[in-house]
Amino acid sequence: MMHNVEIAPGVYSVGAVDWTKRNFHGYETPRGVTYNAYLIVDEKICLVDTVKAPFTKELLERVSQIVDLEKIDYIVCNHTEPDHSSALPFVMEKTPQAKVVLTAQGKASIIKHYQKEYDFQVVKEGDVLDLGRKKLHFITMPMLHWPDSMASYLDGEEILFSNDAFGQHICTNQCFDDENNISDIMDEASKYYSNILMPYNRLIGNALGKTETVPIKMIAPSHGVIWRTHIKDILVKYEKWGSGYNNGSIVIVYDSMWGATEDMARRILEGVSAAGVVAKLHCLTTSSLSDIINDSLECGGIIVGSSTQHNDVLPTMGGFLTYLKGLRPVNKIGAAFGAYGWAGGAQKSIEESLTASGIAVESSNLSFKWVADQDEREKCFNFGLEFAKKVQGNKE
Ligand code: FEO
């Protein structure tokens, strides 16, 4: 028998937990993934979001324990990415009477994804769905993180169904924030923000402004735990992240063909440490991109190194720089370094990529032939020291 949790009177958590998922379109998820869905039982019955298709049976079993499927009046589709909507066609086979409530962009997306037409009810900012004793209010959040994205707010219970916003990729059988290790939850919320929402930083303030107009007792996202005790903490974090807050820390990222670039990375780190600045060192062959980006979210400086191969960076570094560029980090300074054999190229390539990512590049001249000698190692140390001071001067 599937386990349901009544999170508030007449509101149930009915989604699925994907305990073994370790890669979410490139985002590494060592703690697994959940696809949350919620059932509101009022005079009208409303399912808020569905799940990923392989979990359809699980969702339907959970819902069926609470209401007959033919009694569902509405299925709200806050966001049409397949982790939340790919079960919809299968759910609709069992609930053909249900209206599918979504934005105009959401309607277009569902039709194109599944080549199905349903009884759609298109909603826009401020529209209200009357469920009887309570009402569901729609808050559009275009490009957070798809054009169709919206949140739904249940008055009476004061629950914000925020979909991807405020989500975390973490599996648990305890659905509230205060039932889990909060530092794990906050870390996964930060990782989620940095890997999914960072490119849309400038839209966060506006979205938060919309939610400030209503009292919130719970934020029920589509991934991870429900916020009920640490609501203020996560809202403050989103405000900081959306405004490009930097804490003055530094991230050093590198890959090294034969160890010379790695040695440079460690000397730079020694210089940063001598300045008393918090830093993380990541080698691209051992750290996941998702973790590096998470550490980069609040950092003020990013120092990137690669050996030169074929007059350019190593392939791992190419992947990292492409990913970084797409995420459009803000309010950071950067620098490049690396060792080369008979012709350089990696340092210039890194500097160009960092600039294209919106990072202000400090020239380091840390491009050394074969293996850095004592003098060159000293230059690495000194650069780390001076760069760290500059980042500290820039922190908020
Ligand atoms: Fe969780 Fe954008 O889907």
Side-chain angles (χ1 to χ4, degrees):
M1 182 157 170
M2 303 309 291
H3 176 62
N4 287 310
V5 179
E6 189 171 16
I7 63 169
V11 184
Y12 300 83
S13 174
V14 292
V17 183
D18 194 347
W19 291 95
T20 58
K21 183 81 175 162
R22 290 292 177 270
N23 190 305
F24 190 95
H25 58 52
Y27 170 162
E28 290 185 35
T29 56
R31 292 178 165 122
V33 171
T34 75
Y35 315 109
N36 300 348
Y38 302 94
L39 186 74
I40 305 168
V41 179
D42 199 329
E43 288 163 25
K44 300 285 186 184
I45 309 289
C46 178
L47 178 64
V48 178
D49 291 316
T50 68
V51 294
K52 192 174 159 188
F55 295 89
T56 307
K57 186 165 175 278
E58 192 172 322
L59 170 72
L60 292 177
E61 278 184 30
R62 289 188 205 278
V63 172
S64 300
Q65 284 164 25
I66 303 163
V67 292
D68 291 336
L69 296 175
E70 62 269 22
K71 293 203 171 134
I72 293 178
D73 298 288
Y74 301 107
I75 298 178
V76 171
C77 192
N78 279 320
H79 173 37
T80 60
E81 193 164 3
D83 50 330
H84 310 295
S85 75
S86 56
L88 182 68
F90 305 105
V91 173
M92 289 304 290
E93 286 174 12
K94 306 283 185 190
T95 65
Q97 77 288 346
K99 276 182 189 289
V100 178
V101 182
L102 68 190
T103 61
Q105 294 271 20
K107 176 181 169 181
S109 174
I110 288 291
I111 291 171
K112 192 66 172 65
H113 270 88
Y114 306 112
Q115 289 91 56
K116 302 268 189 206
E117 287 277 354
Y118 300 118
D119 185 3
F120 291 113
Q121 182 169 333
V122 171
V123 293
K124 58 187 185 319
E125 178 70 25
D127 279 359
V128 175
L129 187 65
D130 193 346
L131 300 177
R133 292 179 295 280
K134 295 159 200 159
K135 294 184 177 61
L136 208 49
H137 303 249
F138 299 106
I139 302 167
T140 58
M141 295 188 174
M143 292 320 298
L144 285 176
H145 67 122
W146 274 23
D148 58 275
S149 297
M150 69 171 178
S152 308
Y153 174 75
L154 184 65
D155 64 18
E157 298 309 328
E158 301 177 353
I159 301 174
L160 182 71
F161 299 105
S162 59
N163 200 266
D164 280 344
F166 311 110
Q168 334 94 50
H169 282 324
I170 187 164
C171 288
T172 170
N173 66 346
Q174 305 297 319
C175 70
F176 290 106
D177 53 357
D178 50 55
E179 296 173 319
N180 291 274
N181 180 330
I182 192 61
S183 87
D184 289 350
I185 301 298
M186 292 305 291
D187 184 49
E188 289 299 336
S190 160
K191 190 168 165 185
Y192 192 91
Y193 184 99
S194 52
N195 283 274
I196 303 285
L197 296 174
M198 197 200 284
Y200 311 107
N201 265 344
R202 70 191 190 287
L203 304 175
I204 295 291
N206 185 38
L208 290 177
K210 291 185 187 182
T211 62
E212 277 167 9
T213 60
V214 290
I216 295 175
K217 267 195 218 151
M218 277 183 212
I219 298 176
S222 58
H223 298 293
V225 301
I226 298 166
W227 304 92
R228 70 175 175 190
T229 298
H230 297 277
I231 292 174
K232 180 126 192 287
D233 298 334
I234 191 62
L235 288 173
V236 166
K237 278 292 189 186
Y238 264 60
E239 201 180 328
K240 278 187 165 184
W241 295 332
S243 65
Y245 164 78
N246 97 57
N247 62 14
S249 65
I250 289 174
V251 174
I252 302 170
V253 186
Y254 71 94
D255 195 4
S256 186
M257 193 184 287
W258 292 108
T261 298
E262 179 166 49
D263 181 59
M264 293 173 71
R266 289 177 182 272
R267 289 303 296 161
I268 293 167
L269 175 64
E270 288 300 310
V272 170
S273 303
V277 170
V278 173
K280 290 274 179 74
L281 184 78
H282 285 291
C283 176
L284 286 168
T285 57
T286 51
S287 294
S288 79
L289 290 187
S290 325
D291 285 337
I292 299 170
I293 294 300
N294 189 18
D295 281 338
S296 305
L297 175 61
E298 294 189 8
C299 83
I302 182 159
I303 309 176
V304 181
S306 173
S307 317
T308 291
Q309 183 183 41
H310 310 142
N311 303 111
D312 211 318
V313 296
L314 290 167
T316 48
M317 182 55 71
F320 170 72
L321 291 170
T322 299
Y323 192 50
L324 185 69
K325 188 165 69 169
L327 291 170
R328 300 197 288 270
V330 295
N331 200 17
K332 304 189 193 309
I333 59 175
F337 66 96
Y340 63 94
W342 52 98
Q347 190 183 23
K348 179 167 177 282
S349 183
I350 291 168
E351 287 179 348
E352 287 170 357
S353 287
L354 293 178
T355 301
S357 304
I359 293 172
V361 173
E362 287 283 305
S363 177
S364 71
N365 293 316
L366 298 180
S367 181
F368 298 137
K369 193 172 177 69
W370 299 125
V371 176
D373 59 26
Q374 250 342 90
D375 179 51
E376 290 165 336
R377 294 181 86 228
E378 197 64 23
K379 285 182 178 158
C380 290
F381 179 92
N382 287 333
F383 180 79
L385 185 70
E386 294 308 316
F387 185 88
K389 288 180 190 164
K390 178 139 197 175
V391 168
Q392 282 293 294
N394 213 27
K395 83 170 178 185
E396 295 180 356

